[in-house]
Amino acid sequence: MRFRDCHRILGLWALGLLASAASGQCPITFAPAVSATAGQNAAGLAVADFNNDGIPDLAVANSGAANVSVLLGSGDGGFGAAMHFAAFSGPLSIAAADLNGDGAVDIVTANLNDNSIATLRGNGDGTFLPPVRIAVGATPVSVAAGDLNGDTLPDIVALHQDSGEVWTLLNQGGGVFGATPLVFKVNVGGLLMITLGDMTGDGAIDAVAVSPSEALAAILFGDGAGSFDGQMTYAAGNGALSVAVGDVSGDGSADIVVSNQGSAGASVLLGVGDGTFLPRVQYPGGGSSRRSVALADFNGDGKPDIGLAGGNGFATLRGNGDGTFQSPVSGFAGTNLGFAVAADFDGDGRPDWATSNHNTTSLFIMRNTGVSVAITEQPTGQTVAPGAAAEFGVTASGAVSYRWRRNGVPILDSRAIEGASTPNLSIAGVSAADQGVYDVQIGAACGGGVTSRPVLLIVASGSTCPGDTNGDNSVNFLDLNTVISAFNTICR
């Protein structure tokens, strides 16, 4: 390992320690809800970057309007006006994936009233082509997309409420799906939601489906060829309506969290790592009729938290990192809240919250307002002579850590460098090796943070040739490349 690489690793490690130490008891807080408009009976939600601008967008299945609404994110937590795209009757569940490998995210819906799956091909600009209908049998209530047969192409999984069947539609390439589905029968009735994940750690995609009427979760073991070859059921609590999969205990194994509409809480089933799970532990949900669940690190302490929505609002349960959770903190007193998702809609490094209102056209967006960093004075670029000193400074509120970087590589203090982990960086006796683009990563008290504006340090050569940036007493493409490289870095 090169000495410079060691410096970079040590810098990142030190920054991580500072952020972790500062985030121990950080609360979870959200701004008041802001509403947005989708379509009639807004139901399932999906988050993806539909127009390739690096900002998360929302897609909504409108079960009362036979269409899908797409709301493009603005990057500050807001969304543009909804664009509506036809689906088929009764779209209840929605998923997003690049089905045809063209780099644009596509949409899949489960259409309850039409007994079909619809695929909507994305154009990469936030718009979609007319839907393609795939007949899948009666009462498809939930849909998911993932690579079930290991060919790197996302396949479609559809869950049927009445029959308890799970249909897999294998992707043949180009977003075309096989005419003959792979069908697996689940020995549980009244299933309403399915999600995918590797529950056994063998690399094959498994699934979890939940039934509110039977208060059960069914684990379906993937056969690696696109379907399932076994199942186990576990008690999942009264009104097990939605399910999320993630490692909430920090042991590297998949765990299961279920929302319990009947008991207005959540059930946590900790995974052993081989596809089996410990008996559920019930947690209160801080309100009534919790219909939807999501997992995210809401307070930036590196530990997954639980988000619950439904009934009269939403609540968060802060994770302890060992599979246990603290008492719920309730927020936003709404009504008839349904499906929910968590994503960083405003670009501050913290997951925000979005939920649909299944009786209306409304969505509600809640921005995470945990302690954040605000830069009040940015660093400035400079030109200095060889052997002189260079100084960079930044002023920020809410900061607990700093890490200066040159050309994206963290800097450590040395004989010539002071303040690499402070607001003010000083470089003594600069040389051509110090020339480059400088910025500073600033950590917040509860995790996350911001990066300053990048600025350029130019080391003047002392040459008599105007434009000679590297001191070789000639102006040539080497000088031009230096300026162009720095310019491009600043303007990205």
Side-chain angles (χ1 to χ4, degrees), residues 5 32 39 60 91 99 103 112 186 202 221 236 253 284 292 306 313 332 355 400 419 444:
D5 293 333
V60 189
L99 301 176
L112 178 65
V186 184
D202 63 355
F221 300 112
S253 301
S292 188
I306 295 175
F332 179 53
T355 181
V400 297

Side-chain angles (χ1 to χ4, degrees), residues 10-404:
L10 285 170
L12 293 172
W13 172 75
L15 185 61
L17 282 182
L18 286 170
S20 296
S23 64
Q25 297 299 320
C26 293
I28 300 172
T29 58
F30 289 87
V34 176
S35 64
T37 301
Q40 189 59 44
N41 299 120
L45 299 176
V47 177
D49 181 10
F50 294 117
N51 60 346
N52 289 316
D53 65 352
I55 299 170
D57 309 308
L58 280 172
V60 189
N62 302 312
S63 60
N67 64 19
V68 168
S69 296
V70 174
L71 295 84
L72 299 181
S74 59
D76 59 0
F79 292 86
M83 298 179 287
H84 307 295
F85 302 94
F88 296 100
S89 180
L92 185 63
S93 175
I94 190 168
D98 182 4
L99 301 176
N100 59 353
D102 65 352
V105 180
D106 310 305
I107 286 175
V108 185
T109 64
N111 308 304
L112 178 65
N113 299 336
D114 189 60
N115 299 330
S116 70
I117 295 296
T119 61
L120 289 76
R121 179 175 174 178
N123 294 315
D125 60 0
T127 64
F128 294 81
L129 296 180
V132 175
R133 183 180 186 274
I134 305 174
V136 293
T139 62
V141 291
S142 184
V143 68
D147 179 15
L148 272 73
N149 61 351
D151 63 357
T152 73
L153 302 174
D155 308 303
I156 297 174
V157 175
L159 174 67
H160 296 76
Q161 181 179 22
D162 290 347
S163 66
E165 291 178 343
V166 176
W167 286 28
T168 304
L169 306 172
L170 294 180
N171 195 332
Q172 306 300 303
V176 177
F177 293 86
T180 303
L182 303 177
V183 179
F184 182 82
K185 181 70 168 67
V186 184
N187 297 326
V188 175
L191 296 168
L192 276 186
M193 182 180 178
I194 192 167
T195 192
L196 304 178
D198 183 4
M199 313 307 296
T200 61
D202 63 355
I205 298 298
D206 310 303
V208 185
V210 289
S211 167
S213 61
E214 298 195 15
L216 293 174
I219 318 300
L220 315 180
F221 300 112
D223 61 8
S227 190
F228 306 93
D229 59 6
Q231 59 185 296
M232 294 183 68
T233 58
Y234 290 87
N238 186 16
L241 196 59
S242 70
V243 59
V245 173
D247 181 12
V248 302
S249 60
D251 63 355
S253 301
D255 307 307
I256 297 172
V257 181
V258 178
S259 67
N260 297 129
Q261 183 178 16
S263 57
S267 292
V268 177
L269 292 81
L270 298 181
V272 177
D274 59 358
T276 62
F277 292 81
L278 299 179
R280 74 180 183 96
V281 176
Q282 177 79 33
Y283 290 88
S288 65
S289 189
R290 296 313 192 197
R291 296 188 179 98
S292 188
V293 63
L295 295 175
D297 181 10
F298 289 111
N299 65 343
D301 64 357
K303 304 166 186 177
D305 309 305
I306 295 175
L308 294 170
N312 62 351
F314 84 104
T316 53
L317 289 76
R318 197 172 77 190
N320 296 316
D322 58 0
T324 64
F325 294 84
Q326 299 187 21
S327 298
V329 176
S330 299
F332 179 53
T335 58
N336 297 313
L337 300 187
F339 293 84
V341 291
D344 181 13
F345 297 123
D346 57 6
D348 66 353
R350 293 181 179 80
D352 308 302
W353 189 251
T355 181
S356 61
N357 185 314
H358 64 86
N359 282 351
T360 71
T361 63
S362 296
L363 305 177
F364 297 103
I365 317 298
M366 287 146 282
R367 291 180 55 246
N368 193 329
T369 56
V371 178
S372 60
V373 171
I375 296 178
T376 55
E377 184 176 350
Q378 295 276 3
T380 57
Q382 53 195 287
T383 299
V384 299
E391 303 278 348
F392 295 101
V394 67
T395 304
S397 61
V400 297
S401 64
Y402 299 85
R403 177 56 57 197
W404 286 92

